């Protein structure tokens, strides 16, 4: 029988007794294999390593984190315009929050300008905070701010970055 041309012969990798065959390259699976990225300490480079986050989104995530004092929940990134619904589910599987990294604002002593920068504090709430703080000296619990009609119960849940422990 005629011998097959070299190109038609099956090619097997050459191995000797000292070398091991290389494993076949596989496409990355959707299953998450990289370590999770912690939102409150990650820089933009770490955030860009998350599938679904580009350089502009990473910068927005860090900027918003700085305004909040830190994320208390990964779901807070959905508040950003740069995070699309399409990417949101992908991103959630790759991130987590360490609440120990939150930098709280001491609501009883912080300057009004500092409190005003917080995204969850409206101008009306800021006026009430300053007025009530002058009248009663502050609060020992966030719930007291709800009782004083400064924060609604919904705002209370979002106001994790405000601290009343100064008294």
């Amino acid at each position: 029988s005629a011998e097959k041309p070299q190109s038609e012969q099956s090619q097997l990798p050459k191995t000797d007794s000292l070398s091991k065959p290389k494993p076949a390259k596989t496409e990355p699976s959707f299953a998450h294999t990289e370590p999770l990225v912690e939102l409150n300490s990650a820089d933009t480079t770490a955030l860009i390593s998350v599938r679904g986050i580009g350089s502009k989104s990473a910068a927005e995530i860090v900027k918003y984190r700085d305004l909040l004092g830190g994320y208390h929940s990964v779901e807070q990134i959905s508040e950003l315009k740069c995070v699309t619904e399409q990417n949101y589910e992908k991103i959630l599987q790759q991130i987590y929050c360490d609440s120990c990294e939150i930098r709280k604002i001491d609501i009883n002593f912080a300057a009004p300008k500092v409190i005003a920068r917080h995204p969850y504090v409206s101008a009306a709430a800021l006026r009430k905070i300053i007025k009530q703080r002058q009248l009663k000296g502050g609060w020992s619990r966030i719930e007291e701010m709800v009782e004083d009609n400064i924060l609604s119960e919904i705002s209370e849940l979002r106001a994790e970055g405000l601290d009343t422990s100064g008294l």
Side-chain angles (χ1 to χ4, degrees):
S1 87
E3 205 173 303
K4 290 183 182 179
Q6 181 77 15
S7 62
E8 290 182 30
Q9 291 179 359
S10 64
Q11 298 290 314
L12 295 175
K14 294 180 181 178
T15 60
D16 58 30
S17 61
L18 297 176
S19 66
K20 296 178 183 176
K22 293 182 180 178
K25 287 186 178 179
T26 57
E27 290 298 315
S29 67
F30 192 73
H32 188 71
T33 56
E34 294 294 316
L36 296 176
V37 173
E38 199 285 310
L39 277 181
N40 289 325
S41 61
D43 60 12
T44 54
T45 304
L47 289 168
I48 291 169
S49 73
V50 173
R51 284 185 319 279
I53 297 178
S55 59
K56 288 181 182 178
S57 296
E60 286 297 312
I61 290 168
V62 169
K63 181 180 174 183
Y64 196 57
R65 175 184 71 201
D66 291 344
L67 289 173
L68 290 169
Y71 294 100
H72 69 86
S73 165
V74 293
E75 287 79 14
Q76 285 179 285
I77 66 162
S78 69
E79 298 167 15
L80 295 165
K81 291 178 184 174
C82 64
V83 177
T84 64
E85 284 185 45
Q86 180 181 358
N87 284 335
Y88 180 68
E89 292 301 321
K90 236 192 296 188
I91 293 169
L92 283 183
Q93 298 172 16
Q94 304 170 73
I95 60 174
Y96 73 101
C97 286
D98 180 353
S99 61
C100 292
E101 296 289 331
I102 294 175
R103 294 172 316 283
K104 294 186 177 189
I105 298 169
D106 188 336
I107 201 82
N108 293 322
F109 297 104
K113 285 183 178 182
V114 172
I115 299 169
R117 284 194 294 261
H118 197 285
Y120 298 162
V121 178
S122 68
L126 177 62
R127 286 190 297 275
K128 289 179 182 178
I129 289 169
I130 300 306
K131 184 178 179 182
Q132 282 294 98
R133 188 167 76 174
Q134 290 171 342
L135 291 174
K136 68 183 273 182
W139 301 268
S140 58
R141 299 173 303 125
I142 288 285
E143 294 82 10
E144 291 176 37
M145 296 179 80
V146 174
E147 293 164 10
D148 290 342
N149 295 316
I150 293 172
L151 297 177
S152 69
E153 290 183 38
I154 293 170
S155 295
E156 176 189 0
L157 296 174
R158 297 174 72 194
E160 294 288 320
L162 301 177
D163 186 15
T164 58
S165 62
L167 290 180

